[in-house]
Amino acid sequence: MPRSTTRTRWRLGLATTALLAATALVPVPAHAETVTDYAVTVDPAAQGAQIDDTMYGVFFEDINRAADGGLYAELVQNRSFEYSAVDNRAYTPLTSWTVDGAAQVLDDAGRLNDRNRNYLSLGAGSAVTNAGYNTGVRVEQGKRYDFSVWARAASGSTLTVSLQDAGGVLATARAVAVRKGGWARYRATFTATRTSSEGRLTVASSAATALDMVSLFPRDTYRHEPNGLRKDLAEKIAALHPGFVRFPGGCLVNTGSMQDYSEASGWQRARSYQWKDTVGPVEERAVNSNFWGYNQSYGLGYYEYFRFAEDIGAMPLPVVPALVTGCGQNRAVVDDALLKRHIQDTLDLIEFANGPVTSPWGRKRAQMGHPAPFRLTHLEVGNEENLPAEFFARFAQFRAAVEAKYPDVTVVSNSGPDDSGQTFDTAWQLNRDAGVAMVDEHYYNSPQWFLQNNDRYDSYDRSGPKVFLGEYASQGNAFKNGLAEAAYMTGLERNADVVKLASYAPLFANEDYVQWRPDLVWFNNHASWNSANYEVQKLFMTNVGDRVVPSTATGTPSLQGPVTGAVGLSTWATSAAYDDVRVTGANGDTLLSDDFSGDASRWTHTGGGSWSLQDGQYVQTDTAAENTMVFAGDTAWHDYDLRVKATKKSGKEGFLVAFGVKDTGNYYWWNLGGWNNTRSAVEQAVDGGKSTLISKAGSVETGRAYDIDVKVRGRQVTLYLDGQEWGSFTDDKPAEPFRQVVTEDDRTGDLIVKVVNAQSTQARTAIDLGGARVASRARVTTLAAAPDAVNTETGTAVAPVTSTFTGVANRFTYTFPANSVTFLRIGQR
């Protein structure tokens, strides 16, 4: 639709400006009845950044049982009896199975195939029962379920297959005749007579029978695939209309052995995710030990990922290992032959995705049911490597090989596990120097960090590598987390010429198998629910627009005092000793002095662990405990020096010295020897959520006493280690709660005014559309809730509300609710 070229600027009158200035000096109580005034000015004639259709997407990693027991619709847990103590110390090959009679799991030449090593030998008159996931096998009355099993019997047998719960039968039992001879697949279908989330699947045998790949699938899966996806979970992803799907990880990609699953490698169980393990018939796919502490069946593999991305209209974006491990392992694999094999595997992956059916891997894709190519355009090498030089040397070889054979495929690099620091800076410099097309950034920070860093990408080089924000979240699933993320996303859109792709992470969490929080969608075996963060993501992802319309907004007046707080000592998976703690004010007065020659009565223990006085030192001895904080002093202290001696005694990491301690969720600490003793950083905790302010590589020696000095002056902090300045920072960035961005939808011509008001006061806002000719009505979508509101299985506290606003003009006023995200879609004439 045509846009007006008039650039009239309506500004607040002098009287209003004076009133705003005067009001800013007077603190107002933080309740919803109070109002803060803002102005938003839009320039529709100016050219903002174009926004790609792939701007927002999703990242799927098999964490929190996101695949088996989650998106993958299989209802039987440990269906091929492959669970192992390598996956989880509590596992056996019969985990989730109970035996009635005689049964044993065998690993011998009688197996189904070499890549499916174990099978069950079930005695005559015996039975095995599977407990499914969560509370059991979920079935719904009237729905159909497909059972299958691979079996062989020396003299033939009959399998009786039944579904039941504590209340009785859930479906009519089926008799399955097993022919005499070798392995064959047998099937049966059930129709559930009752609904239950506590079902059990039982297979009983009339004669000695070998079983493998015992499966029960709902007939009603997403897009009705025979090896399909759980419908409600898949539909939640589809409802986001994501521009891309990044898969399969994450830490799954760059941890464990880089060897294949073969006799030559000793059938390595704890391996990096390698795509060739996950295609072909499901009974021939390898299993793997999942980095997150369970088993991966690979029933959900690369073919299913590609099909799902295609089904929802998203760009597939696979990630392959770079042969440098991360996620705390931090080891560069030195094996040229192995590196060449992985590079060839990557070329084969592109052929599998895009090659003609006459090519070897294109033929494999066609045999699986998809002759047409998947149109792969982007591929990522590596994930969060903490050894940037070693990673980049290998990345460069992958990139060269891909670009030589497939120049149209964009090869994506990464910048390590943090938003800043030595690894980040080194990785980015290597990427810039090499002219890499796109760099993946990951960070998980506090809500305050996201409110403070809306301008992060404003200063990025417009001619340098583009940014893929592949993983980010604000460390919580309350609405205040969603608000902070929404405020940050306005900055991503404003910088859409630099930030080309962005995805919240992780995507899924089964509430009974959680390794990571927060997560976008929560579920169990019978229900799923959207987090507050999901509602924010959905609002942005379904109202992106095609270009940014430049706009400006006034800010929130705020005053910052000095860093204040007590001092603290802590450990993380380590035993450490502290001595000679001394805090002095800027004027030299002693505020605290403790050489631990007496007692520890001045210290308050707020965390875990075990603290005691030993030989004139304050010692924490529990090497398993995390965050064992003790603190002393006055929360009003400011402008002081903290000096302490610290010695690591044993354990995985170093020690932590805290300052600016307000309470258990609000403090700063210098984390020396963190991240498995690979780096040190200053972290700030705000309401329990932590973000990194400064970070450097380095480790702490066991048994060595370190002199630590922290100098706090106003909001400037300088840190000294053994008398040498280690680093400094100034924490003076405002956490601006009022953020906005305006985009235009080419299809409808709508201006989409997106405003985040992340504070407990309403925001009365004068909006100037810069002379645009607009309709008088706007379609409004609002997310508004209490900051601590959380969505659950039984309650949806955060949900979008749609309405119509009839007061739109070229200049109008709109009051945005407290703690809200509001999108105004305004038609242009």
Side-chain angles (χ1 to χ4, degrees):
M1 296 178 67
R3 296 188 298 271
S4 169
T5 58
T6 305
R7 300 185 64 182
T8 305
R9 300 281 189 164
W10 177 69
R11 300 189 182 279
L12 294 171
L14 290 175
T16 307
T17 305
L19 175 61
L20 280 171
T23 304
L25 301 176
V26 182
V28 293
H31 50 78
E33 289 74 22
T34 59
V35 178
T36 304
D37 287 297
Y38 296 89
V40 172
T41 305
V42 183
D43 188 356
Q47 289 298 310
Q50 293 293 316
I51 306 174
D52 294 345
D53 292 340
T54 53
M55 174 72 184
Y56 294 122
V58 295
F59 165 48
F60 183 92
E61 178 174 9
D62 189 358
I63 183 174
N64 309 313
R65 285 281 187 192
D68 296 326
L71 183 62
Y72 186 48
E74 175 65 75
L75 297 173
V76 175
Q77 185 176 176
N78 190 17
R79 66 182 178 185
S80 59
F81 310 100
E82 295 287 344
Y83 276 26
S84 164
V86 177
D87 310 325
N88 187 300
R89 284 180 294 179
Y91 281 0
T92 75
L94 282 171
T95 292
S96 88
W97 293 94
T98 55
V99 176
D100 182 5
Q104 59 178 326
V105 175
L106 301 177
D107 175 4
D108 61 24
R111 63 178 64 88
L112 177 60
N113 58 66
D114 281 346
R115 293 167 70 77
N116 197 328
R117 308 292 293 170
N118 289 352
Y119 67 96
L120 182 74
S121 175
L122 185 62
S126 300
V128 286
T129 298
N130 191 266
Y133 295 95
N134 300 92
T135 56
V137 175
R138 166 70 174 183
V139 296
E140 295 181 50
Q141 183 177 352
K143 291 196 173 181
R144 300 175 72 186
Y145 297 84
D146 293 322
F147 168 84
S148 66
V149 64
W150 284 82
R152 64 172 170 80
S155 57
S157 71
T158 298
L159 300 178
T160 301
V161 187
S162 57
L163 274 167
Q164 67 285 321
D165 64 7
V169 174
L170 293 172
T172 302
R174 294 285 183 259
V176 178
V178 177
R179 299 181 299 274
K180 176 182 177 180
W183 288 102
R185 191 181 186 194
Y186 300 90
R187 295 176 172 87
T189 298
F190 293 93
T191 300
T193 55
R194 286 192 294 114
T195 294
S196 176
S197 297
E198 300 176 353
R200 299 291 186 268
L201 175 73
T202 297
V203 181
S205 179
S206 65
T209 308
L211 305 178
D212 207 345
M213 297 297 291
V214 183
S215 174
L216 186 69
F217 252 88
R219 178 72 60 85
D220 187 19
T221 59
Y222 186 75
R223 295 296 174 103
H224 307 286
E225 298 279 349
N227 188 50
L229 306 180
R230 179 170 151 176
K231 194 171 184 179
D232 62 324
L233 297 184
E235 287 177 342
K236 287 188 181 300
I237 304 176
L240 295 170
H241 298 289
F244 66 87
V245 179
R246 177 178 180 251
F247 62 88
C251 287
L252 303 185
V253 168
N254 67 338
T255 54
S257 169
M258 298 293 166
Q259 299 290 339
D260 63 1
Y261 191 60
S262 67
E263 184 176 9
S265 69
W267 305 105
Q268 293 271 355
R269 282 295 292 260
R271 308 183 311 285
S272 63
Y273 197 112
Q274 299 173 46
W275 78 271
K276 289 181 179 178
D277 288 341
T278 77
V279 297
V282 291
E283 68 273 9
E284 296 177 8
R285 299 182 189 181
V287 296
N288 202 359
S289 176
N290 184 295
F291 174 81
W292 299 107
Y294 52 90
N295 177 275
Q296 293 173 271
S297 75
Y298 284 152
L300 175 58
Y302 258 70
Y303 177 76
E304 289 75 27
Y305 286 127
F306 278 124
R307 282 297 300 264
F308 182 55
E310 181 181 67
D311 286 345
I312 62 176
M315 177 182 79
L317 205 166
V319 187
V320 299
L323 273 71
V324 178
T325 58
C327 302
Q329 296 182 358
N330 301 335
R331 184 173 64 90
V333 178
V334 181
D335 185 330
D336 286 342
L338 187 59
L339 176 61
K340 287 184 173 65
R341 193 268 287 174
H342 275 267
I343 291 173
Q344 184 59 50
D345 282 354
T346 301
L347 297 176
D348 292 344
L349 171 60
I350 300 172
E351 182 181 294
F352 177 78
N354 295 349
V357 296
T358 54
S359 67
W361 287 103
R363 185 179 306 112
K364 170 69 80 172
R365 181 192 69 241
Q367 290 169 347
M368 294 186 72
H370 200 281
F374 284 118
R375 299 188 298 276
L376 175 67
T377 60
H378 289 66
L379 180 143
E380 184 172 356
V381 177
N383 172 76
E384 293 188 9
E385 283 73 22
N386 209 26
L387 301 171
E390 292 86 342
F391 160 73
F392 201 82
R394 290 154 179 78
F395 170 84
Q397 295 185 59
F398 279 88
R399 179 192 181 201
V402 171
E403 290 183 346
K405 190 169 184 180
Y406 300 105
D408 293 335
V409 173
T410 299
V411 184
V412 182
S413 182
N414 77 82
S415 58
D418 297 303
D419 60 85
S420 60
Q422 187 174 359
T423 296
F424 178 88
D425 292 340
T426 301
W428 255 106
Q429 190 61 52
L430 290 167
N431 285 306
R432 275 192 296 266
D433 291 346
V436 169
M438 185 174 288
V439 178
D440 189 3
E441 294 188 353
H442 295 177
Y443 36 84
Y444 298 90
N445 290 320
S446 67
Q448 175 163 305
W449 185 94
F450 284 94
L451 293 175
Q452 288 176 320
N453 285 278
N454 177 274
D455 63 349
R456 175 179 176 88
Y457 297 107
D458 290 0
S459 59
Y460 270 50
D461 182 359
R462 269 41 207 172
S463 62
K466 303 306 181 185
V467 173
F468 172 22
L469 180 49
E471 299 183 31
Y472 72 99
S474 71
Q475 300 175 339
N477 277 143
F479 188 49
K480 63 185 176 186
N481 301 98
L483 285 169
E485 291 154 7
Y488 192 71
M489 291 170 80
T490 66
L492 300 183
E493 291 192 6
R494 187 176 64 251
N495 289 284
D497 57 329
V498 169
V499 183
K500 308 304 287 184
L501 308 169
S503 50
Y504 179 100
L507 180 58
F508 284 127
N510 185 319
E511 66 174 351
D512 292 334
Y513 308 92
V514 180
Q515 292 86 41
W516 185 279
R517 299 171 186 268
D519 303 282
L520 204 62
V521 175
W522 288 81
F523 66 92
N524 50 39
N525 65 350
H526 62 273
S528 57
W529 55 98
N530 304 332
S531 67
N533 318 67
Y534 175 98
E535 297 298 348
V536 166
Q537 292 290 323
K538 184 178 179 182
L539 186 57
F540 274 84
M541 292 168 77
T542 55
N543 294 276
V544 183
D546 297 287
R547 75 171 181 94
V548 176
V549 181
S551 59
T552 58
T554 53
T556 306
S558 63
L559 297 174
Q560 281 191 322
V563 171
T564 60
V567 299
L569 312 170
S570 189
T571 61
W572 196 287
T574 306
S575 172
Y578 294 91
D579 201 0
D580 297 332
V581 178
R582 184 176 178 84
V583 182
T584 55
N587 61 1
D589 291 348
T590 298
L591 304 177
L592 173 69
S593 180
D594 199 338
D595 63 3
F596 302 108
S597 58
D599 57 31
S601 59
R602 282 177 284 187
W603 297 85
T604 300
H605 186 189
T606 61
S610 178
W611 289 88
S612 62
L613 292 176
Q614 297 181 17
D615 301 323
Q617 295 180 314
Y618 202 20
V619 183
Q620 198 291 117
T621 55
D622 186 347
T623 57
E626 298 178 346
N627 192 2
T628 63
M629 176 87 82
V630 293
F631 71 88
D634 191 332
T635 57
W637 280 351
H638 61 88
D639 296 297
Y640 57 78
D641 290 350
L642 163 64
R643 296 181 177 85
V644 60
K645 287 186 181 295
T647 307
K648 172 183 175 178
K649 297 177 71 68
S650 62
K652 296 179 181 178
E653 304 206 349
F655 37 76
L656 303 107
V657 174
F659 52 96
V661 179
K662 299 287 187 61
D663 52 45
T664 56
N666 294 275
Y667 53 85
Y668 303 81
W669 67 18
W670 188 3
N671 185 350
L672 287 145
W675 296 271
N676 285 330
N677 204 15
T678 61
R679 59 191 175 99
S680 300
V682 176
E683 297 176 282
Q684 180 184 18
V686 178
D687 295 333
K690 289 198 289 291
S691 53
T692 300
L693 303 182
I694 183 173
S695 175
K696 293 183 179 181
S699 59
V700 167
E701 298 175 25
T702 301
R704 175 182 166 186
Y706 290 84
D707 289 317
I708 294 167
D709 184 357
V710 180
K711 185 184 296 291
V712 181
R713 294 293 184 273
R715 302 203 68 80
Q716 169 83 27
V717 178
T718 309
L719 306 110
Y720 300 86
L721 185 63
D722 288 337
Q724 301 296 314
E725 183 174 332
W726 179 87
S728 64
F729 66 92
T730 303
D731 181 24
D732 60 356
K733 235 181 176 181
E736 173 59 61
F738 185 85
R739 296 292 187 184
Q740 56 76 39
V741 70
V742 180
T743 65
E744 184 177 45
D745 186 324
D746 284 347
R747 185 180 63 84
T748 64
D750 289 349
L751 290 177
I752 312 172
V753 179
K754 312 174 186 184
V755 175
V756 181
N757 182 28
Q759 60 186 330
S760 295
T761 59
Q762 296 177 346
R764 183 172 54 210
T765 306
I767 300 175
D768 175 7
L769 297 178
R773 298 176 61 199
V774 294
S776 61
R777 292 173 177 265
R779 287 169 290 154
V780 184
T781 306
T782 306
L783 290 170
D788 293 326
V790 177
N791 289 346
T792 67
E793 179 184 354
T794 57
T796 306
V798 181
V801 175
T802 58
S803 60
T804 301
F805 176 67
T806 58
V808 178
N810 189 249
R811 300 189 299 267
F812 67 99
T813 299
Y814 192 94
T815 299
F816 295 96
N819 302 306
S820 67
V821 183
T822 306
F823 280 25
L824 302 171
R825 290 192 72 111
I826 303 170
Q828 295 188 84
R829 295 174 181 171

